[in-house]
């Protein structure tokens, strides 16, 4: 079972869009996929219209119930969140190191899914740490912009720290560029990171595509909304690269 955390402490870089559409693309390839919404803003849950579920990820983390899971498509399920998840942070923190492993301990232990994708909040707090420790692969999502790329170092340092203290098996799968606008500046930033990080930069790049924003506003994944858009092509390509 591949468990992938989709992270960046910066908001608006395409984490949620990537979780949903990569998950859908993998399910279209015949894989069984579970999405986990770990962001108290619950954008992922909202974008698939399951933000009013009675039980959600909060209850799994804080009340030790089984992960509440809702099927949203063929081979595609979600464990939703709502604003109440913000209350989990203090609770988890009060449990010290035990609180770091709550998500890991609530995930299915058998290979019920081929992929579990975890959509992280825009912070490197205890929820993101739970995601990193539960995952066996990490995808850092970033825009090809100067300041966004500078922030990568902070995440890489956190990953190194967790690796040496808590989980040696943690693996950075790659850096994914999203919201690519094809400008000279973006191009040169991508080239620079390819030189610096080599294989760690995904060949697949998600271009800016207004259809992706429209789809999420309409609570649809891009393949349902517009299968021939560049957004759909880019996420299908990414799914292939990951497989
Ligand atoms: P995050 O989860 O990192 O905060 P989102 O996935 O919510 O970021 O994306 C932020 C906004 O940008 C959303 O309105 C989303 O629809 C839009 N968006 C994401 N990726 C793209 C893209 N490749 N092209 C155009 N709009 C995008
Ligand atoms: Mg998000």
């Amino acid at each position: 079972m591949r468990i992938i955390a989709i992270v960046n402490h910066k908001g608006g870089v395409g984490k949620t869009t990537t979780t949903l559409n990569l998950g859908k693309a993998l399910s279209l390839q015949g894989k069984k996929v579970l999405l986990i919404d770990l962001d108290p803003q619950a954008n992922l849950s909202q974008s698939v219209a399951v933000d009013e579920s009675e039980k959600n990820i909060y209850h799994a983390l804080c009340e030790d119930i089984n992960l509440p899971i809702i099927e949203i498509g063929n081979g595609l399920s979600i464990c939703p969140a709502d604003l109440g998840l913000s209350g989990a942070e203090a609770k988890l923190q009060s449990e010290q190191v035990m609180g770091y492993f709550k998500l890991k301990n609530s995930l299915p232990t058998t290979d019920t899914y081929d992929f579990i994708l975890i959509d992280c909040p825009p912070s490197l707090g205890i929820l993101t740490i739970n995601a990193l420790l539960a995952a066996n692969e990490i995808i850092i999502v970033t825009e090809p912009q100067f300041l966004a790329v500078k922030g990568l170092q902070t995440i890489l340092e956190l990953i190194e720290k967790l690796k040496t203290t808590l989980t040696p098996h943690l693996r950075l799968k790659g850096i994914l560029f999203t919201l690519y606008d094809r400008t000279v500046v973006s191009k040169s930033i991508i080239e620079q990171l390819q030189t610096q990080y080599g294989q760690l930069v995904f060949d697949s790049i998600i271009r800016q595509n207004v259809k992706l924003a429209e789809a999420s506003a309409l609570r649809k994944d891009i393949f349902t909304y517009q299968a021939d858009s560049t957004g759909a092509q880019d996420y299908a390509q990414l799914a292939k690269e990951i497989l």
Side-chain angles (χ1 to χ4, degrees):
M1 196 158 55
R2 293 176 64 182
I3 306 172
I4 307 179
I6 296 177
V7 297
N8 193 323
H9 50 303
K10 195 170 182 301
V13 295
K15 289 182 293 297
T16 301
T17 305
T18 297
T19 308
L20 173 62
N21 293 304
L22 172 60
K24 177 72 182 194
L26 289 167
S27 75
L28 290 172
Q29 295 283 329
K31 300 298 169 190
K32 279 204 76 181
V33 181
L34 172 65
L35 312 177
I36 296 185
D37 190 353
L38 204 60
D39 183 355
Q41 290 176 54
N43 291 158
L44 178 64
S45 306
Q46 288 154 7
S47 69
V48 295
V50 292
D51 48 325
E52 283 174 12
S53 158
E54 195 186 321
K55 295 284 181 195
N56 58 49
I57 185 73
Y58 173 88
H59 304 94
L61 297 175
C62 296
E63 294 173 6
D64 291 325
I65 65 162
N66 283 339
L67 215 57
I69 291 170
I70 300 167
E71 201 171 319
I72 52 173
N74 203 355
L76 191 62
S77 301
I78 181 171
C79 174
D82 66 20
L83 288 172
L85 180 57
S86 54
E89 300 205 338
K91 259 204 169 98
L92 295 174
Q93 234 128 30
S94 70
E95 300 189 37
Q96 295 170 344
V97 176
M98 281 275 290
Y100 290 7
F101 289 97
K102 285 284 175 172
L103 180 60
K104 186 182 175 75
N105 292 335
S106 63
L107 294 185
T109 45
T110 51
D111 276 349
T112 328
Y113 301 95
D114 299 302
F115 285 90
I116 298 180
L117 306 183
I118 309 169
D119 184 26
C120 290
S123 80
L124 296 180
I126 195 157
L127 287 171
T128 295
I129 290 178
N130 262 271
L132 294 174
L133 295 175
N136 41 37
E137 298 175 31
I138 299 163
I139 295 179
I140 302 177
V141 172
T142 184
E143 296 169 274
Q145 304 297 339
F146 178 64
L147 291 176
V149 164
K150 273 189 81 167
L152 287 182
Q153 201 51 39
T154 317
I155 311 174
L156 294 172
E157 280 163 18
L158 174 64
I159 293 172
E160 273 315 304
K161 202 161 124 197
L162 293 174
K163 243 169 129 161
T164 50
T165 53
L166 296 170
T167 21
H169 72 262
L170 214 61
R171 195 160 73 97
L172 177 60
K173 179 72 185 176
I175 298 166
L176 173 70
F177 284 107
T178 57
L179 287 154
Y180 174 49
D181 59 8
R182 290 171 246 207
T183 59
V184 176
V185 179
S186 305
K187 254 190 203 127
S188 86
I189 288 175
I190 293 175
E191 280 166 12
Q192 190 189 322
L193 263 87
Q194 282 167 337
T195 312
Q196 193 175 348
Y197 294 107
Q199 287 292 309
L200 278 181
V201 178
F202 281 103
D203 293 334
S204 314
I205 291 172
I206 312 299
R207 290 165 283 186
Q208 234 175 46
N209 178 207
V210 69
K211 299 291 170 199
L212 284 165
E214 289 172 11
S216 79
L218 293 169
R219 301 184 156 212
K220 286 183 176 152
D221 65 80
I222 191 64
F223 299 93
T224 307
Y225 179 58
Q226 193 131 76
D228 61 356
S229 59
T230 59
Q233 288 163 16
D234 292 348
Y235 278 110
Q237 182 59 39
L238 175 65
K240 269 192 206 136
E241 188 174 351
I242 283 176
L243 283 168

